Amino acid sequence: MELLAKSEPKVTLLGHIQDCLHIREMLVRHFPNAPKLFRTHSDFWELLRLAIIFHDLGKAHREFQKVLNAIKNNDWHGQRHELFSLPFLEVFDLAEAEKQLLRMVVAAHHKDLEKLNNEYVLDAYLGPDEVDEGTKFDFVEEFWEKVAVKEVQDLLKEKFQISIPAPQPYHPSILVNPFLSQKSTSKQSDFWDLLLLFGALKHCDHLGSAQVKALEEIHDADFASLDRLKNKLNNAGKDFYNHQNKCGATLGNAILTAPTGSGKTESALLWLQHQMRNYGNGRVFYLLPFTASINAMFERLETEEKGMGKGKVGVVHGKLNDYLFDYFEDFQYSRTQRKEEIKSLREKFRTLQVPMKVATPFQILKHLFGLKGFEQGIFEMNHGYFIFDEIHAYSPDVFAQILVLLEFVTQKLNGKVLIMTATLPPFLRAYLEKAVSDFTPIASDEPLYKSFNRHSVQVREGLLSENLGEISKFLEEGSKVLVVCNTIKQAQEVYKKLAPIAQHFILLHGGFNGQDRNSHERKLKGLEKLEKKDGSILLVGTQAIEVSLDIDYDIIFSEPAPLDALIQRFGRVNRKIEKGICPVVVFAQRNESDKFIYPDEVVERTLAALKKIASNPGGLIQENQLESQLEFVYPAWSKKDLQVFQTTYDSLKNSLENLLPMLHAKHSEDEFYSRFDGIKVLPFRFEKEYTNFLIEFRFIEAERLKVQIRKGKFAQLRGERDDNLQKKSFTWEAGKKLLQVNYWVLYKGYDSETGLDYDKQEEWSRDEQFDNINAS
């Protein structure tokens, strides 16, 4: 009987090893610098080859072969094939230090070593001094009686020219116990060797099992969009901006400061091309804070016209299913085809199959917390290229974690970093400079900053909501008007009053479910294609407007907010600098609820700074003076923010020092993200539709009906009254199985045009809640 490694579809042991070795050959090309981090004076790639050859030999156990061949057996449950691989490795002629590395990575390639020890080594097999009471396996006896040793010896000799004598099995605790008692932390010499070798083996095993035939890589020709743009500029007697050319000539880490709309994406690509020409292949991570800006960047970079082309770029964030559902909407796919395409693309983006990933920082920060799979993640990051855009947009705790990430990437992984920002308080910049340490500062020159002066600020007394008459006049004149409020409720009220005056109107905030949010964003893109003759356009929104939406309006009216937030809002007006000087209007009076969003002292300093700018001739905002105004508004962390920042920084640094290869953190990936994400709730009006989707196994569509709300808001709703939120459980039959999903129902109003309405209470009864607990 030919030895198998997989059952569905059937793949032979030899075939699986060869599939994994094929992935290894691609890793050699895609990660040429990885061996530089390997501390053992050994051939990294050769050790990986041996790890691949030996990792699954224990599948030659005859009871395991019965499982793969669907033959009834009673003697495999509770055993692990990787433990039966170890005796073959033990008799292989290899230096002890190298053999110890191979023992570890082979033993742990499926189970965390602690879990392997507790649930299998101790529970499944008789200890060296235990008396056989018939409840455990005798490992030595199992090996001699049931492992096809001769077939494995023949396989090794004929296919890989490896000759080994008959193995002498030993109890696996002899291997595992010393490691668990002397764990390899980052302070020990073998830490990096174990981490890199294990991460590489896991990539080979995973991609080999999927029988992936190719990994995309970035070639110099993939930067052709830059050449075309340069030729276009040259033909018009122009060139790239000076800061763009400097990025394209800088080797190593850099921090770029340039105004919004001055081609920072092109700057990043020019920098990246120069790094890859000089340092060689490495994975690329383009990191942004918000899903809207991530999606927009992905769509840009996957085009040949402005980016790298299809197949080169992936996107990774917590709302990916939602995004991909809409991404495939224009394709003529059936529901089943769309589901399969989403699954396929998700897997492709998650693995090494794409060389560039546009993502949130959390997608790589999670590896620093030691979550399951962190070894693969860190291997992927080695000698990588990291582009941080919109670095100003993070809270103190996240900013602290990003600093630790920057230190780790530059000091431990030999990664190269480009940090880009339009607005950054000087004290935050000082933190970044210290974290990166060795870098080149790049900034736009004075003439460019002057050419980007495009806004005239006006600070008005009173509330925005009391001055809608003035805003109406601009709509009546056919202007594109942007109105930004600080709360969802205020945005909804303003929208309802102004929308009847505009020819085209849209509301954008965080209180929409996934289905409607994506619908509104698509509509917004459509509005950008309209011309002046098509009539007035009104966009009302909240902080969601501040992210990288590619929109260009004539005027903005905003409620008071911190200066950095306002600068981002202003950047959505006269974005292309084709309208002369456009007015940006900020109202000075705050609503009562605003104090829960922005600190009073920061807003007060912002208003003082804006009034000083407004005293300039024409109220002109001079881009090159914004940093000094930011320094006035943000001289340092507040006492509260500093405490959060320092505690988070120290905690992650300590966690990183105690990172353990093959021993994973106890909390799950979902628990990690829950620290930063809000809580998803289902508006009451969608409950019937939601459960129908579940019954039809349309899980993505079901999730798109939910709205994500802040944890603080969730707690507030629960505290206000008992009937705001109810936790429910829906159970239904699927063949012979019962499936169950838990979810929170929010008994507040919801409208697809305006989103959640916290003032409208939906009624519910306890009888209805009880009936739904076991619905089927």
Side-chain angles (χ1 to χ4, degrees), residues 142-343:
E142 281 282 315
F143 186 87
W144 279 121
E145 291 186 359
K146 296 183 178 179
V147 176
V149 174
K150 180 65 167 61
E151 287 93 326
V152 172
Q153 287 177 301
D154 291 343
L155 173 72
L156 291 174
K157 186 173 183 179
E158 292 173 14
K159 300 300 181 181
F160 304 109
Q161 294 73 55
I162 294 175
S163 296
I164 60 169
Q168 297 295 318
Y170 56 90
H171 195 272
S173 63
I174 296 172
L175 164 77
V176 176
N177 288 347
F179 178 81
L180 292 176
S181 61
Q182 297 179 353
K183 296 170 182 175
S184 180
T185 68
S186 59
K187 297 177 181 178
Q188 293 174 275
S189 59
D190 61 348
F191 170 83
W192 285 103
D193 297 351
L194 275 172
L195 191 151
L196 289 170
L197 188 61
F198 185 72
L201 174 61
K202 288 288 286 181
H203 279 303
C204 291
D205 192 23
H206 178 76
L207 295 170
S209 295
Q211 297 186 312
V212 170
K213 301 303 179 187
L215 303 180
E216 290 284 354
E217 62 183 306
I218 295 175
H219 303 282
D220 202 59
D222 294 320
F223 294 92
S225 63
L226 295 175
D227 296 329
R228 289 192 295 271
L229 178 57
K230 187 175 180 63
N231 290 336
K232 182 180 178 181
L233 290 169
N234 290 165
N235 291 336
K238 301 178 182 178
D239 195 359
F240 285 126
Y241 294 132
N242 286 340
H243 67 266
Q244 293 175 319
N245 283 322
K246 288 176 183 175
C247 284
T250 298
L251 263 183
N253 307 319
I255 298 179
L256 168 65
T257 308
T260 301
S262 63
K264 286 196 286 293
T265 305
E266 288 83 2
S267 300
L269 294 179
L270 286 163
W271 174 84
L272 176 62
Q273 183 182 38
H274 193 51
Q275 308 313 302
M276 298 190 81
R277 281 175 173 174
N278 285 273
Y279 296 123
N281 265 338
R283 270 3 201 192
V284 183
F285 302 88
Y286 203 120
L287 304 172
L288 289 148
F290 304 108
T291 54
S293 48
I294 289 169
N295 295 341
M297 185 59 68
F298 165 69
E299 290 173 13
R300 172 185 175 154
L301 291 176
E302 74 158 357
T303 66
E304 291 186 3
E305 180 186 0
K306 293 185 176 182
M308 315 299 293
K310 282 194 177 294
K312 305 289 184 178
V313 186
V315 58
V316 190
H317 56 66
K319 298 175 182 175
L320 186 56
N321 274 342
D322 225 17
Y323 171 68
L324 292 179
F325 190 89
D326 283 298
Y327 179 82
F328 285 114
E329 188 172 18
D330 295 333
F331 293 74
Q332 299 301 311
Y333 288 150
S334 67
R335 186 190 304 156
T336 302
Q337 285 176 313
R338 185 192 282 197
K339 183 178 178 181
E340 289 303 313
E341 287 294 329
I342 290 173
K343 181 181 178 181

Side-chain angles (χ1 to χ4, degrees), residues 55 109 246 275 614 671 707 764:
H55 82 289
H109 80 270
K246 288 176 183 175
Q275 308 313 302
E671 289 172 321
V707 180
W764 67 280

Side-chain angles (χ1 to χ4, degrees), residues 264-265 286-289 297 387-394 418-422 548:
K264 286 196 286 293
T265 305
Y286 203 120
L287 304 172
L288 289 148
M297 185 59 68
I387 299 164
F388 289 82
D389 200 356
E390 300 181 11
I391 195 75
H392 61 275
Y394 299 103
L418 172 65
I419 296 171
M420 304 190 296
T421 182
S548 288

Side-chain angles (χ1 to χ4, degrees), residues 542-588:
T542 57
Q543 294 96 318
I545 300 297
E546 296 167 19
V547 304
S548 288
L549 295 174
D550 191 12
I551 55 177
D552 193 353
Y553 279 65
D554 301 330
I555 187 171
I556 180 175
F557 295 89
S558 176
E559 292 187 325
L563 183 60
D564 54 330
L566 288 174
I567 291 170
Q568 292 302 311
R569 296 177 187 184
F570 297 165
R572 312 304 153 206
V573 172
N574 198 9
R575 189 173 179 84
K576 299 174 183 176
I577 324 178
E578 296 174 347
K579 303 175 183 179
I581 303 297
C582 288
V584 293
V585 182
V586 178
F587 290 92

Side-chain angles (χ1 to χ4, degrees), residues 42-56:
S42 309
D43 184 335
F44 174 76
W45 298 118
E46 173 59 15
L47 276 182
L48 178 59
R49 186 184 80 89
L50 293 173
I52 289 169
I53 292 170
F54 280 91
H55 82 289
D56 268 355

